[in-house]
Structure formats: C-alpha cells, structure tokens
Amino acid sequence: TKDYFFISSTGKISRELYESRDNRDQDHSRDFLTVGSMGYSSQIAYGIAIKKPHTKIICLDGDGALLMHMGGMTTIGTSNLKNYNHIILNNGVHDSVGGQPTLGFDVDFCKIADACNYKNVFGPLKTETEISNALIELSSLNGPNFIDIRVKPGARADLGRPKSSPIENKKLFIEKLNN
C-alpha cells in the first residue's frame, strides 16, 4: 500500500520492484533501489526507520546480500523499531551476478532472526497462501519483523532495468520521504 516505503537490495530484486511499479502505473518515489551496494539495503533501511519512526519500512533483501552483512541483524533485531520489516527473497544463489550458489538454503535465517530478537519471524515460506497470510498478519504487527520467502532462482531474460539513474532515484525517494 501507499503506507510503506521500500528499500530493495541490489540486482534483480530492485529491477523487479521497479518493473512491478511500472506495470501497476505507480510511481517510484517510495522505493530506494540499492544499486551497486550489495548487502547494505538492510542497514540503509535501518537508518531510515530510526529517523522516520512513524513511516513503515520494508527492506527487500536477498539471501546472498544478507549473508554478506549478517551482523546487521543483531542491530536491527535489538532495535525495537516498530516500523521495520525485513523480507528475504531467498533463492539460494547470487542470481544477479551469475547464479553462483549461496548457503541461503543451508542457513536457518529464521532461527538467526529469532536469536537476534526480531519481534515476529515467519518462514521459510514457500506457497502463495503462506506468503499472503504472513503479509496480511505483518501489516498489523509491530517490528522489527522478519520473513524468509523461498523463491526459485532465475528471472526473465527480458527483465528491464530502471530508467532513472541512482541519483534520480535517491532524490525522488528523499523528497517523498520528507513530505
């Protein structure tokens, strides 16, 4: 909904979010695409959540990106940020840079999130019904919240790229966030 701001991980997650907005005739002002900074979207989202405590934040992260900077989960989980939602799209590979395997299916991200004191932890979720139910429930819960969604590797060969530059994206996002 228009209540949420999204910070998306580098690569195909950001590309799919951008395309999804285009397909729905929505603007991109509520999305920060973390281009070229793999592993930092959760910490960028954390900083925004601190500064904007009444703004609902969703971090769309990848399993490979999360593994790169997993220490950030301790800061997020113990933060008591009611507006922070951390969603991992876990496909078990570094899809955006060639499909090399990660340990995303071998590491129990949900147990780690629980140990890091995330308030609510869901997953791993595999079906559309599980995902839909968790997202509905999530909308009424205070965070920080964590969801591990299992997805298949790969993307369409014709998956587009954002038409705006990272600087344009940042400017548009900051303007919307500050209004």
Side-chain angles (χ1 to χ4, degrees), residues 37-48:
S37 299
M38 185 175 174
Y40 290 105
S41 58
S42 65
Q43 296 306 292
I44 293 168
Y46 171 75
I48 295 167

Side-chain angles (χ1 to χ4, degrees), residues 4 56-57 81-85 119-122 133-147:
Y4 290 89
K56 296 176 183 179
I57 302 297
L81 289 170
K82 294 175 174 41
N83 60 331
Y84 192 100
N85 300 284
K119 300 290 182 253
N120 303 285
V121 178
F122 300 87
N133 289 342
L135 292 174
I136 290 167
E137 188 174 346
L138 183 79
S139 68
S140 66
L141 296 173
N142 287 328
N145 302 306
F146 183 88
I147 299 179

Side-chain angles (χ1 to χ4, degrees), residues 2 4-6 21 27-32 173 176:
K2 292 182 179 180
Y4 290 89
F5 282 79
F6 289 81
R21 293 284 192 206
D27 70 37
H28 302 279
S29 62
R30 294 180 170 277
D31 307 330
F32 183 80
F173 181 80
K176 186 67 161 190

Side-chain angles (χ1 to χ4, degrees), residues 10-12 15 38 64 68 91 93-102:
T10 190
K12 292 186 180 172
R15 290 168 63 185
M38 185 175 174
M68 289 181 76
N91 64 3
V93 299
H94 290 288
D95 224 351
S96 295
V97 293
Q100 304 86 344
T102 67

